[in-house]
């Protein structure tokens, strides 16, 4: 008789299966028990887009920049459990294990764990190192790449950060993109910005660069990323054709609708939103800036916020004295951030306590070395 293995059977065989049947209060208690037992040797970091129930078990939370600083500063911890997405855990591994930190710990590495390996970032996946290298070579046929500064958004694989490190470039986050571009223009004539065209465009517009000087490089185009030689020669910033599928959902008509129906409302967005939205918003900034802006506003302020749903809902709950709306009529949530949940967190932590390392993120030495060059340049930019 042929036994067919169904998806249901496969799920049941997964080591996590028994955790999925547990009630939230039991998971919470077990997570807290491991945290108490491991004490300072364990650091749980959480990005602002994580679900409330996960955020409740983090030691520190932040936007991508703050989280990088926290990983860079870690002193006592031996393990970082990263409640966020893959590129964030890679960055933590690179920064927490840089040479001077390793020397302080007699060569002992900090282990970085990502509770669900499927927690990636669709934007980061839009630029593969082979494509970026091919683009660099192609553009060198028509422009002097010695004078091009590559800038990668932190939402990218470590191999792209290493590419920037090797080629005189730098990493940026949504909170320092303007200062990073200024840094780049002090060192070159042009910037090659990947993978988020919207952050690149919105930031360059803020520096007074015209959109006609921002060709978009399509890695699937047959020649020169779909551009003419002249467009590349006239460029100030070459934008990679990548985007965030969550922030791309916010539209200018949503802004218009809120302004019409809620007089006095202010629009607060993340710079991963398209230009048409970013241009007409009242405030644009990183998740950290979005939180600070709401926290520092008086009671009665009305906001429509264009960023990931879990953060907006948390702000709504934490600020009942203000009127907070989600900018889009459709649900825009980051499905990969959402993969980190209590069963995955509990499973990761209990394995760690029992001496079994699951879902370790470890960047190779060569990639770490060059990524660190680009990350340290970023951390030095004020
Ligand atoms: P922040 O750096 O603003 O937290 O953004 C991270 C991110 O992934 C936004 O989509
Ligand atoms: Fe990536 Fe967008 Fe999710 Fe941020 S919100 S992690 S950019 S897919």
């Amino acid at each position: 008789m042929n036994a067919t293995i169904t998806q249901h059977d496969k799920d049941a065989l997964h080591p996590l299966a028994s955790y999925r049947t547990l009630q939230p209060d039991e998971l919470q208690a077990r997570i807290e028990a491991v945290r108490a037992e491991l004490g300072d040797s364990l650091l749980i970091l959480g990005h602002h887009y994580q679900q409330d129930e996960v955020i409740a078990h983090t030691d520190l939370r932040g936007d991508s920049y703050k989280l990088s600083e926290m990983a860079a500063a870690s002193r006592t911890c031996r393990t970082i459990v990263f409640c966020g997405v893959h590129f964030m855990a890679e960055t933590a591994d690179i920064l927490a294990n840089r040479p001077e930190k390793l020397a302080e710990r007699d060569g002992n590495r900090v282990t970085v764990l990502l509770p669900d390996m499927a927690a990636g970032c669709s934007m980061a996946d839009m630029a593969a190192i082979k494509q970026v290298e091919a683009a660099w070579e192609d553009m060198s046929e028509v422009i002097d790449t010695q004078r091009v500064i590559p800038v990668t958004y932190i939402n990218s694989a470590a191999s792209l950060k290493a590419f920037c490190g090797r080629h005189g470039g730098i990493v940026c986050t949504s909170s320092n993109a303007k200062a990073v571009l200024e840094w780049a223009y002090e060192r070159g004539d042009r910037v090659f910005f990947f993978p988020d065209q919207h952050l690149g465009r919105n930031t360059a517009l803020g520096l007074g660069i015209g959109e006609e000087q921002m060709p978009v490089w399509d890695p699937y185009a047959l020649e020169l990323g779909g551009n003419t030689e002249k467009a590349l020669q006239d460029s100030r910033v070459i934008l990679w054709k990548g985007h965030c599928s969550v922030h791309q959902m916010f539209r200018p008509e949503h802004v218009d609708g809120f302004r019409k129906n809620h007089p006095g409302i202010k629009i607060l967005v993340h710079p991963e939103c398209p230009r048409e939205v970013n241009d007409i918003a009242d405030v644009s900034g990183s998740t950290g800036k979005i939180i600070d802006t709401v926290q520092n506003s008086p009671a009665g302020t009305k906001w429509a916020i264009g960023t990931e749903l879990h953060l907006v809902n948390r702000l709504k709950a934490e600020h009942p004295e203000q009127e907070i709306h989600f900018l889009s009529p459709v649900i825009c949530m980051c499905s990969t951030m959402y993969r980190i949940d209590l069963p995955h967190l509990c499973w990761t932590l209990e394995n760690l306590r029992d001496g079994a390392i699951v879902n370790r993120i470890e960047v190779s030495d060569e990639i770490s070395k060059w990524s660190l060059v680009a990350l340290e340049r970023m951390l030095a930019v004020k």
Side-chain angles (χ1 to χ4, degrees):
M1 196 175 82
N2 277 341
T4 311
I5 299 189
T6 64
Q7 187 58 42
H8 181 269
D9 297 332
K10 283 188 198 158
D11 288 347
L13 290 171
H14 192 279
L16 248 162
S18 60
Y19 286 84
R20 291 210 175 96
T21 60
L22 299 175
Q23 292 302 309
D25 54 351
E26 180 164 2
L27 287 164
Q28 285 156 7
R30 285 170 59 169
I31 289 168
E32 285 308 307
V34 180
R35 287 182 76 199
E37 195 173 329
L38 299 185
D40 282 353
S41 69
L42 169 69
L43 177 65
I44 306 186
L45 296 179
H47 185 265
H48 293 309
Y49 290 163
Q50 291 291 298
Q51 311 171 53
D52 287 346
E53 60 184 33
V54 170
I55 285 286
H57 299 289
T58 55
D59 296 296
L60 299 167
R61 61 171 137 148
D63 61 15
S64 305
Y65 185 80
K66 270 264 163 57
L67 291 167
S68 306
E69 279 192 322
M70 290 164 185
S74 65
R75 298 187 81 82
T76 53
C77 79
R78 303 300 302 271
T79 308
I80 294 177
V81 173
F82 213 113
C83 298
V85 289
H86 194 271
F87 72 82
M88 297 179 176
E90 276 190 335
T91 305
D93 179 56
I94 295 163
L95 290 172
N97 292 307
R98 62 200 191 283
E100 66 269 31
K101 284 280 166 189
L102 278 181
E104 274 173 28
R105 285 185 238 109
D106 297 329
N108 291 314
R109 287 184 73 87
V110 167
T111 304
V112 178
L113 306 177
L114 181 67
D116 186 345
M117 286 302 217
C121 164
S122 55
M123 177 207 283
D125 294 344
M126 288 178 195
I129 184 62
K130 289 263 175 274
Q131 293 175 313
V132 170
E133 285 170 346
W136 189 254
E137 209 178 300
D138 283 2
M139 69 179 74
S140 73
E141 304 281 322
V142 294
I143 53 175
D144 176 9
T145 43
Q146 295 292 329
R147 300 288 305 153
V148 179
I149 306 293
V151 178
T152 189
Y153 187 23
I154 198 163
N155 296 34
S156 56
S159 52
L160 274 70
K161 296 181 178 84
F163 176 91
C164 289
R166 281 195 198 96
H167 292 90
I170 186 166
V171 178
C172 79
T173 75
S174 56
S175 66
N176 62 14
K178 182 166 177 274
V180 165
L181 283 201
E182 285 165 347
W183 179 98
Y185 286 121
E186 280 161 19
R187 288 159 178 82
D189 303 327
R190 268 181 259 276
V191 163
F192 180 27
F193 192 99
F194 36 87
D196 185 17
Q197 60 172 298
H198 299 301
L199 178 66
R201 183 179 295 111
N202 291 331
T203 311
L205 286 166
L207 291 179
I209 297 170
E211 193 157 0
E212 68 288 353
Q213 289 182 297
M214 302 183 200
V216 177
W217 188 282
D218 177 354
Y220 297 100
L222 286 181
E223 272 182 47
L224 295 179
N227 298 289
T228 62
E229 280 186 37
K230 181 160 178 356
L232 295 174
Q233 284 156 359
D234 290 348
S235 69
R236 292 280 284 138
V237 49
I238 300 167
L239 302 168
W240 191 261
K241 194 173 180 199
H243 63 267
C244 166
S245 32
V246 178
H247 290 88
Q248 181 127 311
M249 304 286 279
F250 298 106
R251 307 297 317 150
E253 47 276 24
H254 304 152
V255 177
D256 297 342
F258 270 106
R259 289 211 167 116
K260 187 163 161 244
N261 298 322
H262 301 263
I265 200 160
K266 292 201 212 156
I267 310 296
L268 177 52
V269 300
H270 195 281
E272 285 175 16
C273 289
R275 172 186 183 169
E276 310 83 69
V277 172
N278 199 71
D279 273 358
I280 58 175
D282 294 287
V283 187
S284 163
S286 71
T287 55
K289 180 168 173 182
I290 290 173
I291 294 170
D292 289 349
T293 304
V294 173
Q295 269 169 2
N296 295 321
S297 296
T301 310
K302 289 191 255 178
W303 295 109
I305 305 183
T307 195
E308 207 273 345
L309 185 65
H310 288 91
L311 173 55
V312 180
N313 283 343
R314 185 172 318 118
L315 284 168
K316 251 191 225 183
E318 287 174 354
H319 294 280
E321 81 290 357
Q322 298 182 43
E323 189 184 310
I324 295 177
H325 301 265
F326 188 59
L327 180 58
S328 168
V330 295
I331 290 172
C332 310
M333 59 166 259
C334 180
S335 55
T336 47
M337 284 273 182
Y338 190 64
R339 294 195 72 95
I340 309 294
D341 56 14
L342 292 185
H344 281 91
L345 182 56
C346 191
W347 171 72
T348 306
L349 290 175
E350 290 191 341
N351 270 289
L352 174 67
R353 180 203 54 201
D354 298 342
I357 298 297
V358 293
N359 291 1
R360 180 172 195 165
I361 303 291
E362 193 171 5
V363 180
S364 73
D365 289 348
E366 184 63 11
I367 300 275
S368 287
K369 180 175 109 187
W370 286 108
S371 300
L372 185 60
V373 171
L375 282 163
E376 286 187 327
R377 287 180 185 139
M378 173 188 86
L379 290 168
V381 167
K382 289 293 164 219

